[in-house]
Amino acid sequence: MIQSQWKQQLFGAICLTLAAAIWGGVYVVSKVVLEVIPPFTLLILRFAIALVVLGAFVISRKDYIAKKDFPMIMLIAFVGITISIAAQFLGTKLSTAHMGALITSASPAFIAIFAVWLLKERIQWKQLIGIVLATAGVLIVIGVPDQADAQSSFAGNVILLVAAVSWGLYTVLSKRATQLYSSLAVTTYVALFGLIFTSPVMIWEISVTPISWDFGWEIWAGVLYIGIISTAGAFYLWNKGFEMMQAGSGAGFFFVQPIVGSFLGWLLLHEHLGLSFFAGAAFIFLGVALSNLQQSKAPKQSHHS
């Protein structure tokens, strides 16, 4: 029993690491694509592609969600896609990329809080210390905000905080949904409703920002990568990982994202990578390891908040 639980936790950890690594890498691709396709239009394209890919699997498996549970899935889609991802785009635009990375890295703390509140998980001291250590690691990797960041838009920073809180809520609500349905079904239906809810914003965006659709193959390759790998693949892996393990323990894997993003920025965009990157990465890995240590020692979860 304990061995099968350990295997399940390991599989969940692999899924979450892969999802966070993919999201860390996608900023290199999206940096190029966003130069020619505005954010909400790209958001619609990525979820439309993801829906085609995931929908094919759902239909072939007849893995459907009952209509009575549509309100739950619609709430998850609205929180996770329309609010969280849109807030991340808008907040970063009004503030700075630096502050965007800093503020949205607070998501794991909110995942842990919502896990206690909605899933009745008991967060142990090792998990809390792990999240604090990993957050310190993020601060070391991306640095303390400088004068330019300090003068960044207050409204933008508040919107980024909304992105972090709503991502925490999305993750915990998705975990609750995967207790009733498969991760594949949940991810697919969330993509569908996210597409419906976000379309009006895209229509407005296109009306104020005309787009020339005469792109080179590399832009379309980037769009396909964002749609298939970073949306269909990574969202499924993220939901699957949380299906396999306690939300409080899984939260720390989000911190893999800034490590991979920084590394690929150095590798592909020739961005500088100093000693702080390696020191911060060590803190992040230590924090993630510590927040998962408690679960192997205490496989039975308490059901009181």
Side-chain angles (χ1 to χ4, degrees):
M1 176 68 184
I2 291 174
Q3 189 178 12
S4 68
Q5 205 155 26
W6 184 84
K7 280 183 181 175
Q8 182 174 306
Q9 190 184 349
L10 179 65
F11 181 66
I14 291 167
C15 288
L16 293 174
T17 302
L18 283 171
I22 289 167
W23 286 329
V26 81
Y27 105 97
V28 177
V29 179
S30 60
K31 199 166 186 177
V32 176
V33 176
L34 282 166
E35 286 178 8
V36 289
I37 304 176
F40 289 102
T41 305
L42 180 58
L43 185 67
I44 290 293
L45 284 172
R46 71 184 281 192
F47 280 98
I49 293 165
L51 187 60
V52 170
V53 174
L54 294 168
F57 286 105
V58 165
I59 292 165
S60 66
R61 290 181 175 194
K62 295 185 169 56
D63 190 4
Y64 304 120
I65 287 176
K67 283 184 182 176
K68 68 179 175 66
D69 290 318
F70 276 12
M72 171 183 69
I73 300 297
M74 289 164 81
L75 176 64
I76 294 169
F78 187 71
V79 169
I81 296 173
T82 309
I83 295 179
S84 189
I85 296 179
Q88 193 175 338
F89 279 149
L90 187 60
T92 304
K93 186 175 182 179
L94 292 175
S95 184
T96 61
H98 202 96
M99 289 301 286
L102 183 67
I103 295 169
T104 54
S105 71
S107 286
F110 293 115
I111 293 172
I113 291 165
F114 284 120
V116 172
W117 181 33
L118 298 174
L119 302 177
K120 307 303 178 193
E121 288 184 2
R122 191 174 69 183
I123 301 297
Q124 302 199 4
W125 281 109
K126 284 179 181 172
Q127 283 174 288
L128 288 174
I129 294 166
I131 288 172
V132 169
L133 277 174
T135 306
V138 171
L139 284 170
I140 294 167
V141 168
I142 63 177
V144 177
D146 58 21
Q147 197 61 35
D149 289 322
Q151 292 171 350
S152 63
S153 160
F154 175 73
N157 293 344
V158 171
I159 292 168
L160 285 167
L161 187 60
V162 169
V165 174
S166 52
W167 185 256
L169 182 57
Y170 159 80
T171 299
V172 171
L173 289 174
S174 294
K175 178 172 172 61
R176 186 189 263 181
T178 57
Q179 291 166 349
L180 301 172
Y181 297 100
S182 72
S183 296
L184 176 66
V186 171
T187 310
T188 306
Y189 279 79
V190 164
L192 171 63
F193 287 117
L195 207 60
I196 293 166
F197 294 148
T198 317
S199 291
V201 188
M202 181 207 71
I203 293 164
W204 167 80
E205 183 179 65
I206 289 175
S207 72
V208 297
T209 316
I211 305 167
S212 164
W213 293 97
D214 186 24
F215 307 138
W217 67 268
E218 68 281 358
I219 296 296
W220 286 115
V223 169
L224 288 172
Y225 173 84
I226 292 167
I228 297 169
I229 307 296
S230 85
T231 308
F235 269 73
Y236 169 75
L237 288 167
W238 187 252
N239 290 341
K240 187 70 178 175
F242 276 97
E243 183 188 331
M244 297 282 108
M245 65 198 304
Q246 192 190 9
S249 294
F253 288 91
F254 187 84
F255 291 114
V256 173
Q257 188 175 331
I259 297 176
V260 174
S262 299
F263 175 74
L264 289 176
W266 166 78
L267 188 69
L268 301 174
L269 302 177
H270 310 294
E271 293 176 356
H272 176 68
L273 216 60
L275 184 64
S276 62
F277 169 78
F278 299 99
F283 268 85
I284 289 168
F285 284 125
L286 181 64
V288 171
L290 192 62
S291 60
N292 283 280
L293 196 60
Q294 61 82 32
Q295 200 178 17
S296 58
K297 288 187 177 181
K300 287 188 180 177
Q301 298 306 330
S302 170
H303 287 280
H304 65 273
S305 55

